Amino acid sequence: MPGLIPEIREYVMGTDAGVSPGAYDFVVVADFADLDAFRVYRDHPAHRTVADDLIAPITAERAVVQHER
């Protein structure tokens, strides 16, 4: 995704470390310069395709959090 969407400053993903019960299985953490850059990513056709066509069909639950520093 970072090669397709230049607004992504950092993109990290991985499986749960198994330290705390009740945690989700997988995480994607993306960093952006500002909210406008995030919105470009959120609405980008490449992101929408991955999220809607590849991830959503195999995901039982999803949690989303955006925060500002």
Side-chain angles (χ1 to χ4, degrees):
M1 204 66 62
L4 298 174
I5 307 172
E7 286 77 10
I8 299 171
R9 288 202 309 199
E10 186 175 4
Y11 207 69
V12 179
M13 57 189 130
T15 57
D16 178 52
V19 177
S20 300
Y24 285 89
D25 297 325
F26 194 80
V27 64
V28 175
V29 179
D31 188 40
F32 306 93
D34 54 33
L35 287 174
D36 289 334
F38 164 73
R39 288 182 184 109
V40 169
Y41 162 78
R42 180 193 64 194
D43 300 334
H44 194 282
H47 175 250
R48 295 281 19 116
T49 296
V50 170
D52 298 339
D53 299 344
L54 301 177
I55 296 172
I58 63 168
T59 303
E61 291 184 49
R62 178 176 172 244
V64 178
V65 176
Q66 287 84 38
H67 78 93
E68 292 186 82
R69 295 183 206 201

